[in-house]
Amino acid sequence: MVSFSVGDVINVLNSCKPQLIALAVIIVMALIVIIACSKVEKRKKALICKEDLIAMGLGITIVINLICTGPMRTLLNLVSGDGTISEDSMNNAINANVQMAEEGMVLLKNEDNTLPLKDTKKLNVFGWSSTNPVYSGTGAGSINDNYDKVSILEGLKKAGFEVNQEIADFYVNFKDTRPIIDYWGQDWTVPEPSMDEYDQADIFNKAKAFSDVAVVVLARSGGEGADLPTSYYVEEDTFKASGGGLWGGAEGLRMSEYAEDLDESKTYLEPTTRELQMIDRVAKEFSTVIVVINSANTMELGVLDQYDSVKAAIYTPGAGQAGFTALGKILNGEVNPSGKTADTFVYDLTKTPYFNNIGLFTYENMKQYGHIDDLGLVDMYPSFVNYVENIYVGYKYYETAAKENFIDYDSTVQYPFGYGLSYTTFSQKMGDISEENGIVSFEVTVQNTGDVAGKDVVEVFFDPPYTNGGIEKASANLVEFAKTDMLKPGESQVLTISFAVEDMASFDAKVNKCYVLESGDYTISINADSHNVIDSRVYTVQNDTVYSEDNARSSDQTAAVTQLEFAEGNAEYLSRADGFANYEKATAAPSDYMLPEQEKEAFLNNSNYDPRDYNDENDEMPVTGAKNGIVLEDLKNVDYDDEKWEQLLDELTVDEMNTLIATGGYQTAAIESIEKSSTVDCDGAAAINNNFTGQGSIGFPSEVMLACTWNKELAATFGDNIGEMADEMGVTGWYAPSMNMHRTAFGGRNFEYYSEDGVLAGKMAAKAVEAAKKHGVYAYIKHFALNDQETNRYGQLCTWSTEQAIREIYLKPFELAVKDGGADAVMSSYNHIGTLPGCACAPLDLTILRDEWGFRGMVLTDYFVDFGFMDSDRAIRNGVDIMLADYDTGTNYLTDTTSATAVKAMRQATKNILYTVVNSRVYEDHTFDRGLDTWQKVLIGVDALVLILFAVAEIRTVQKYRKSDLQNEAEQK
């Protein structure tokens, strides 16, 4: 999603242009009449002028009605929503928020069992962010400001701690708001006073007198529209907090307002110079230091290892509206932390395989395809990003590289994927493996062997057989996980783990062009994290299983065979062969900024795409406008392939389908002829927020924190709460969950995405989708697909990757959300897959999503602005059904509405939309309403009142003229 801009306002006015012209004509004509009758006899002049004004008023009223029922109808539908969230639902959501934070905060370090704090009730809390923490992120995934937030300091106070208020006041006086990180302007300053400012206020001496325990808070923010800086330096500070941008808001770029923090060799995800000075001082002045890392993006945290006094560290990604309540409970021991990391923490992010291949790489030979928006404010030329690390994303690289002796693991990885400490200890014992009908099963007995009640996570990985130079395979692959109940000391729980044998297959893009389960020994293990194995068993596959055209995996409707070879491009991709022998070459920064001529010749955008060039003369024109007597309600629970759908679709006109497809922004339009109700969709990756009415829920923790719970039941609780509140708000579609990958630590929207691992992300998302669906709410899983960076995402960003990586890493969360969660709505992506836009990529949006996975539902674009490539004609012919626009943006309405090919595509898109809507909450007994929308009732009432007033005015005008005429006749006699 993108924010509304002045460009949107101009487009809305353009969509009303015919009516506005008519309005101007009416006013001008009325003025001409008044001028023309200036020399007419006084009584007649008065009559003519009054009649003229009445006629003008009627004309204006008619034009306003035409605007309201025409181009503004969609927007009026959206602003007239009147649903509210009940107090019970809100309380349920707050309780769930806190529970997610309790289980999602990760204890990274706890030397000498420093935590929980037993005898300490006074805390010195250092770090400016302690007074202004990061609750979520900015953009579509932000949380609702209408609700109070529990801050870090408030969370500590709620738990019975007394915080040093003098330090808090010092920070607030230093700076009281977090720097702006927005679409058009970013100030990446990490606020922190200098040592001189600390000393001038005598902070440390006073703090030592208050308590010998210190808490240090480090925080990093992110948001939609910009990735995090990989170099903490910029030659020119162009940032303006106001007076710039499209709304007179933030514009430009600033790295830091503190000269000493600017460092070209550092990234935004390292502690700044000022932070390091503060930590150094705190670590030397206090004997017990606890560090809180408040960031959805993994940071470089080597500083935690440098001081003996730094005893403990807690990872707290965005905690949502009330989640910091849990931090106090963890510090005082009321809550035993059970979170596990959803990403790998490394000591040096600049040495990651992806580091040289993130950011803006603009093609040098594609200037003719550049796009300047309607205001001339943004130049966008096709660019590219190469996913050179192949399948070796996150822990899959580090564990495999360690096994190949390519890296020293301990000096490279600080905290593995799936890592997290507890206040108690557990044992896990793995039972023998059994296999029946392609399902592997075994039991794991988890026992609390410590002194404190707590929960533990069973993490199941597999290490497949690998042939040097063969199919790429990581040595560690999460395949399943489960979380225990709360176990008292000495208590045990037996968890049954099961997964399909085919889940261990790898996609062979080179030889077999499909998934292959190779013969050999598969080590299945239960782990403490991705690196540390607790116990394991060997499962042996006797013969290769090739899941080709005639042997689809059991979870696929049709075989998953090669579809995305075109997206590989000409990049060099990292290979495990010979112990990552090609690492230096594969992970180097791009040196070729030219799109190959073959791809360039086939490149399409709005400058050269004409739908008529792709019409099939053999297509037959579908029936439209028939009178079959069927309404949409008749199709509820009717199978997608039932012939009755064709009878309903025959009734629709081209104009009705065109409007439905073109105006899908935050809603689906009503269709009177088939009694289709309008529906409302809302934003919010961690909430449900109506941007038009201001109604919304509290903000839940970020998806990262939810992933760190490793608790599928909590993911379901999240979806259940969203579904319940959406139903009360009258909302049917939820623009979430977001499930792109943490390909890098620098993704601007990492807070909105779950993890670096597709299985963890997909299984958590599937539970949320499934739970929301029980309330009749369809979740638009997004952004499909490979929308893993913000940089130039809507500037024709060509994303290049191997098909194996696309399928095994980047599509995995979506696949699980569809197959396991029953997702029936998808939001496509801005970025291109190779050279095909995500919102017009048939191999992805049709073949893989619908044919292979069996998806039956609708696919929506991301926020629909031209951007040089978004086009409804192209979209509906390639698997995308509905445009996220509320008005005529120039390319959201179809230009070809007469060819059989176009009408067939419209018909298919319409069917997908209607199928999704009729099986939603809108057609449940407690919500179904064929009546008029609120604004329509208001408009009718206002129209009636206005007509009465005009009628009264007309009667009085005529009566007055007649009375005057009679008086004049009497005087003449």
Side-chain angles (χ1 to χ4, degrees), residues 581-881:
N582 75 334
Y583 184 91
E584 294 298 327
K585 183 178 180 181
T587 62
S591 58
D592 184 0
Y593 286 69
M594 307 289 284
L595 183 66
E597 283 302 314
Q598 183 177 354
E599 280 86 357
K600 182 179 177 181
E601 290 176 5
F603 191 88
L604 296 172
N605 69 2
N606 291 354
S607 71
N608 64 346
Y609 176 77
D610 185 339
R612 293 170 296 183
D613 295 338
Y614 301 91
N615 287 340
D616 186 344
E617 62 182 14
N618 295 316
D619 283 334
E620 296 184 6
M621 180 62 74
V623 175
T624 57
K627 305 296 182 184
N628 295 330
I630 299 175
V631 295
L632 183 57
E633 185 183 8
D634 298 335
L635 275 294
K636 182 173 177 61
N637 297 323
V638 172
D639 187 78
Y640 182 86
D641 296 317
D642 193 290
E643 184 63 28
K644 198 171 184 179
W645 276 105
E646 300 307 313
Q647 298 174 37
L648 177 78
L649 294 169
D650 286 349
E651 297 180 336
L652 295 169
T653 66
V654 168
D655 286 344
E656 287 172 329
M657 292 188 286
N658 197 0
T659 299
L660 180 67
I661 291 165
T663 56
Y666 302 97
Q667 58 100 53
T668 66
I671 303 177
E672 294 177 6
S673 66
I674 59 170
E675 298 182 7
K676 180 204 173 292
S677 297
S678 62
T679 63
V680 175
D681 298 338
C682 282
D683 249 339
I688 187 84
N689 291 321
N690 190 318
N691 298 332
F692 296 88
T693 67
Q695 282 289 326
S697 73
I698 68 155
F700 288 89
S702 66
E703 266 79 350
V704 183
M705 181 171 278
L706 183 56
C708 287
T709 69
W710 289 64
N711 189 332
K712 297 174 193 174
E713 291 182 5
L714 274 182
T717 298
F718 169 56
D720 180 64
N721 276 267
I722 289 290
E724 182 178 37
M725 292 186 293
D727 189 34
E728 291 176 348
M729 288 170 59
V731 172
T732 307
W734 174 37
Y735 291 167
S738 306
M739 54 183 66
N740 295 108
M741 299 301 296
H742 294 176
R743 176 189 171 234
T744 86
F746 297 92
R749 294 176 84 171
N750 276 13
F751 74 95
E752 203 174 322
Y753 308 146
Y754 290 91
S755 171
E756 67 185 28
D757 182 78
V759 171
L760 176 60
K763 287 183 178 290
M764 296 294 281
K767 288 296 183 182
V769 169
E770 183 181 42
K773 189 173 181 177
K774 291 178 180 178
H775 294 273
V777 174
Y778 42 82
Y780 292 88
I781 57 176
K782 65 179 187 181
H783 309 84
F784 193 60
L786 280 72
N787 188 164
D788 307 298
Q789 76 170 41
E790 292 300 287
T791 302
N792 210 39
R793 63 183 173 135
Y794 41 69
Q796 302 178 85
L797 173 64
C798 298
T799 309
W800 302 100
S801 174
T802 66
E803 183 163 3
Q804 182 182 5
I806 293 174
R807 286 183 177 274
E808 293 185 13
I809 307 294
Y810 301 100
L811 296 188
K812 183 59 67 176
F814 296 95
E815 181 180 5
L816 292 173
V818 170
K819 292 179 176 179
D820 297 349
D824 41 24
V826 170
M827 181 186 289
S828 63
S829 60
Y830 282 132
N831 62 286
H832 289 40
I833 316 300
T835 58
L836 296 181
C839 57
C841 182
L844 182 69
D845 299 321
L846 282 176
T847 308
I848 293 176
L849 178 63
R850 297 184 188 278
D851 296 344
E852 292 182 11
W853 299 350
F855 175 78
R856 296 291 179 266
M858 63 173 159
V859 180
L860 172 76
T861 68
D862 205 329
Y863 191 71
F864 198 100
V865 183
D866 183 349
F867 289 140
F869 68 90
M870 299 190 83
D871 181 287
S872 59
D873 290 280
R874 190 177 179 191
I876 65 169
R877 294 168 183 235
N878 290 281
V880 174
D881 307 304

Side-chain angles (χ1 to χ4, degrees), residues 125 194 265 317 330 501 504 519 550 623 627 705 893-894 963:
V125 186
S194 67
S265 68
I330 289 173
V501 173
M504 297 189 291
S519 61
D550 57 351
V623 175
K627 305 296 182 184
M705 181 171 278
Y893 280 90
L894 297 158
K963 182 178 180 181

Side-chain angles (χ1 to χ4, degrees), residues 359-550:
L360 179 61
F361 307 101
T362 303
Y363 282 118
E364 295 176 351
N365 62 336
M366 296 291 285
K367 297 295 185 183
Q368 69 267 42
Y369 294 104
H371 172 71
I372 299 178
D373 75 1
D374 293 336
L375 301 177
L377 294 177
V378 183
D379 296 344
M380 291 179 284
Y381 298 100
S383 61
F384 67 95
V385 60
N386 297 328
Y387 283 23
V388 297
E389 63 278 11
N390 205 346
I391 67 166
Y392 302 104
V393 176
Y395 75 88
K396 294 191 177 188
Y397 167 70
Y398 296 106
E399 302 304 334
T400 310
K403 185 171 184 176
E404 295 288 341
N405 296 313
F406 184 69
I407 63 169
D408 178 68
Y409 190 89
D410 291 339
S411 64
T412 303
V413 176
Q414 187 172 20
Y415 302 116
F417 170 79
Y419 169 88
L421 302 176
S422 171
Y423 294 156
T424 190
T425 57
F426 295 94
S427 67
Q428 293 187 14
K429 294 182 179 179
M430 183 178 182
D432 292 334
I433 290 175
S434 63
E435 185 267 321
E436 185 175 359
N437 297 323
I439 302 297
V440 170
S441 299
F442 58 91
E443 292 182 342
V444 178
T445 302
V446 183
Q447 184 178 18
N448 184 340
T449 57
D451 301 323
V452 181
K455 294 185 176 185
D456 199 17
V457 177
V458 173
E459 304 175 28
V460 183
F461 291 80
F462 72 89
D463 180 0
Y466 170 69
T467 301
N468 188 42
I471 302 173
E472 298 294 339
K473 295 180 185 180
S475 64
N477 303 270
L478 183 71
V479 68
E480 188 54 276
F481 59 93
K483 196 163 192 175
T484 68
D485 299 331
M486 183 66 71
L487 299 180
K488 298 176 182 178
E491 188 177 6
S492 298
Q493 183 177 357
V494 177
L495 299 175
T496 299
I497 303 295
S498 63
F499 58 89
V501 173
E502 65 188 30
D503 290 344
M504 297 189 291
S506 300
F507 193 83
D508 178 12
K510 294 180 179 179
V511 179
N512 291 289
K513 310 291 186 179
C514 62
Y515 279 97
V516 176
L517 183 73
E518 291 189 307
S519 61
D521 291 339
Y522 290 72
T523 301
I524 298 172
S525 61
I526 54 174
N527 289 23
D529 52 57
S530 61
H531 191 63
N532 294 288
V533 175
I534 298 172
D535 199 359
S536 66
R537 298 288 185 274
V538 173
Y539 176 82
T540 302
V541 174
Q542 298 296 334
N543 300 297
D544 290 356
T545 301
V546 180
Y547 297 101
S548 55
E549 292 279 7
D550 57 351

Side-chain angles (χ1 to χ4, degrees), residues 143-337:
I143 61 178
N144 198 320
D145 288 331
N146 292 333
Y147 301 104
D148 292 333
K149 305 179 186 74
V150 176
S151 69
I152 286 178
L153 298 182
E154 289 169 333
L156 295 175
K157 291 175 184 177
K158 282 175 175 283
F161 291 104
E162 180 184 353
V163 300
N164 188 330
Q165 191 60 43
E166 189 168 2
I167 299 177
D169 293 341
F170 168 67
Y171 287 134
V172 171
N173 291 332
F174 173 74
K175 191 177 184 66
D176 60 357
T177 57
R178 182 165 286 281
I180 297 170
I181 299 174
D182 208 344
Y183 295 98
W184 314 113
Q186 300 92 38
D187 179 359
W188 296 103
T189 297
V190 178
E192 187 62 38
S194 67
M195 282 299 104
D196 286 343
E197 288 167 312
Y198 274 108
D199 289 337
Q200 287 171 10
D202 200 23
I203 292 297
F204 293 103
N205 286 328
K206 294 177 181 178
K208 284 189 289 184
F210 181 80
S211 173
D212 61 353
V213 177
V215 175
V216 173
V217 178
L218 302 177
R220 293 295 184 270
S221 184
E224 184 173 6
D227 292 314
L228 279 54
T230 55
S231 177
Y232 205 50
Y233 177 81
V234 65
E235 289 187 6
E236 182 182 2
D237 185 339
T238 60
F239 181 78
K240 296 178 183 178
S242 61
L246 295 184
W247 282 112
E251 181 181 56
L253 177 65
R254 170 184 294 153
M255 285 301 164
S256 178
E257 60 185 76
Y258 316 129
E260 64 267 41
D261 278 352
L262 294 173
D263 187 338
E264 191 171 1
S265 68
K266 279 191 172 185
T267 75
Y268 178 70
L269 293 174
E270 297 178 54
T272 66
T273 298
R274 285 194 173 193
E275 285 179 321
L276 289 173
Q277 291 171 347
M278 178 269 293
I279 294 170
D280 181 72
R281 187 72 173 271
V282 171
K284 290 175 179 177
E285 298 280 6
F286 298 90
S287 59
T288 301
V289 180
I290 302 158
V291 179
V292 174
I293 301 97
N294 174 213
S295 170
N297 302 72
T298 57
M299 295 180 63
E300 292 184 17
L301 299 173
V303 68
L304 300 182
D305 300 340
Q306 295 173 9
Y307 300 95
D308 292 338
S309 58
V310 177
K311 301 291 188 181
I314 300 176
Y315 177 50
T316 62
Q321 221 95 31
F324 284 119
T325 301
L327 180 61
K329 293 181 177 182
I330 289 173
L331 291 186
N332 73 10
E334 182 180 344
V335 168
N336 185 356

